[in-house]
């Protein structure tokens, strides 16, 4: 009889063994991602258009409200769409971060019924969330780049510099999400607290505004924000057609490694009790 308890391998294995275990469940993972994609897009009247409508509505709102205020602060960028490109680059980067983190924190609690009924590696759930979020992001980013091509603002080959930036962002988010998601099983306030923190975190990240307009003390304080270097890197790529200063990404990369280790250790320590607690 299946109790939903994890196998000894899934809690104590080395990462290589864990990867083999996840690979063995690749069919389940891919089917779940496809199911989420159908539920998100194909199950509605507008389908894939919703991938554009939500971010476009936010971009339009912020552009209308802030474009005249922020355009003079974009030194050396006189193009009418310069602020929109700056905004899109930051907002789309923030969206993949906030969506993935929000899903990861509640991943075990929100799938409690599945975990109780079916025996499978629990870490397939965060992996499904990662793949689904990245697929959604890829669709939006492809549409954004198509817009840049039509507007004559495509940055060229430097666009490939966005790949390592996104990988660092995903690693940081997954580590933080796995740590918070594991603890959230035992302290359910974590999910609500994360949603609240994300609201403040957004405004402490220069996405809608430009960092240069801030007082020196506040700009220095924002330097501790690990998401800021990744957002700034994407803005540099798409607005300036310039590769980011890679040294600025050492900080979020270090934090990503630390959080992945802490998240893994928390899962190893508490993973065996997740089903019982749910």
């Amino acid at each position: 009889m299946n109790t939903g308890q994890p196998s000894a391998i899934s809690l104590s294995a080395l990462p290589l063994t864990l990867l083999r275990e996840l690979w063995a469940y690749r069919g389940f993972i891919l089917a779940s991602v496809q199911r989420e994609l159908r539920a998100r897009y194909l199950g509605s009247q507008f389908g894939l258009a919703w991938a554009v409508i939500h971010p476009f509505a936010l971009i339009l709102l912020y552009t209308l409200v802030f474009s005249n205020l922020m355009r003079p602060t974009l030194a050396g960028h006189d193009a009418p769409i310069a602020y929109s490109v700056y905004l899109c680059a930051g907002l789309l980067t923030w969206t993949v971060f906030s969506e993935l983190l929000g899903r990861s924190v509640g991943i075990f609690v929100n799938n409690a019924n599945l975990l109780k009924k079916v025996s499978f590696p629990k870490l397939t759930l965060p992996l499904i969330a990662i793949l689904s979020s990245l697929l959604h992001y890829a669709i939006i980013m492809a549409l954004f780049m198509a817009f840049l091509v039509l507007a004559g603002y495509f940055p060229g080959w430097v666009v490939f510099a966005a790949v390592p930036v996104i990988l660092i962002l995903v690693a940081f988010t997954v580590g933080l999400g796995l740590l918070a998601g594991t603890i959230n099983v035992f302290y359910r306030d974590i999910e609500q607290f994360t949603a609240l923190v994300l609201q403040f975190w957004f405004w402490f990240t220069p996405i809608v505004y430009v960092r240069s307009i801030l007082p020196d003390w506040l700009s220095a304080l924002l330097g501790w924000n690990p998401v800021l270097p990744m957002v700034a890197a994407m803005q540099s790529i798409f607005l300036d057609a310039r590769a980011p200063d890679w040294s600025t990404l050492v900080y979020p990369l270090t934090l990503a490694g630390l959080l992945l280790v802490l998240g893994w250790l928390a899962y190893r320590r508490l993973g065996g009790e997740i089903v019982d607690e749910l």
Side-chain angles (χ1 to χ4, degrees):
M1 178 177 178
N2 174 33
T3 62
Q5 294 293 334
S7 64
I9 293 178
S10 64
L11 292 182
S12 60
L14 294 173
L16 184 58
T17 307
L18 175 62
L19 289 176
R20 292 196 189 103
E21 189 177 34
L22 293 176
W23 177 253
Y25 281 81
R26 63 189 181 278
F28 168 71
I29 293 169
L30 293 176
S32 299
V33 172
Q34 291 173 356
R35 186 163 52 250
E36 285 199 16
L37 182 65
R38 286 196 297 267
R40 177 177 289 196
Y41 298 128
L42 302 184
S44 63
Q45 293 294 323
F46 290 99
L48 188 61
W50 286 115
V52 183
I53 293 173
H54 288 298
F56 177 76
L58 281 177
I59 290 167
L60 181 63
L61 174 63
Y62 289 135
T63 299
L64 291 175
V65 173
F66 293 103
S67 60
N68 289 330
L69 294 175
M70 293 296 109
R71 189 177 297 140
T73 66
L74 295 174
H77 298 284
D78 299 324
I81 65 168
Y83 176 72
S84 294
V85 173
Y86 173 87
L87 178 63
C88 287
L91 191 59
L92 296 183
T93 305
W94 173 264
T95 298
V96 70
F97 163 69
S98 60
E99 177 184 343
L100 183 53
L101 180 59
R103 291 190 60 185
S104 298
V105 172
I107 198 72
F108 298 126
V109 173
N110 296 334
N111 288 279
N113 290 334
L114 183 62
L115 287 169
K116 291 177 181 178
K117 294 176 181 178
V118 183
S119 179
F120 62 95
K122 296 184 187 68
L123 290 184
T124 57
L125 294 176
L127 183 55
I128 291 167
I130 294 168
L131 294 176
S132 178
S133 295
L134 286 179
L135 182 58
H136 177 61
Y137 175 73
I139 292 171
I140 299 175
M141 184 55 68
L143 294 170
F144 173 51
M145 287 194 285
F147 163 74
L148 293 179
V149 170
L150 293 174
Y153 215 97
F154 188 72
W157 290 105
V158 73
V159 73
F160 289 103
V163 175
V165 178
I166 293 300
L167 290 178
I168 295 172
L169 178 67
V170 170
F172 172 80
T173 311
V174 170
L176 181 58
L178 180 60
L179 177 63
T182 301
I183 298 174
N184 183 60
V185 174
F186 305 91
Y187 303 96
R188 303 294 173 87
D189 290 337
I190 296 294
E191 187 171 4
Q192 303 301 324
F193 178 72
T194 301
L196 179 62
V197 167
L198 281 173
Q199 294 184 44
F200 288 94
W201 201 337
F202 174 80
W203 290 105
F204 277 93
T205 306
I207 295 173
V208 175
Y209 57 90
V210 180
R211 188 179 181 183
S212 60
I213 68 173
L214 300 175
D216 290 342
W217 67 269
L218 183 54
S219 179
L221 181 62
L222 293 191
W224 292 98
N225 178 355
V227 177
L228 186 152
M230 294 176 281
V231 167
M234 296 295 280
Q235 290 166 336
S236 173
I237 291 168
F238 289 102
L239 180 65
D240 301 322
R242 185 180 69 240
D245 179 357
W246 298 110
S247 65
T248 62
L249 297 174
V250 172
Y251 171 50
L253 179 60
T254 303
L255 279 182
L258 178 61
L259 287 169
L260 284 170
V261 171
L262 290 176
W264 170 246
L265 292 176
Y267 175 77
R268 282 191 61 181
R269 171 66 179 84
L270 302 171
E273 304 172 25
I274 285 177
V275 173
D276 293 335
E277 188 67 24
L278 293 173

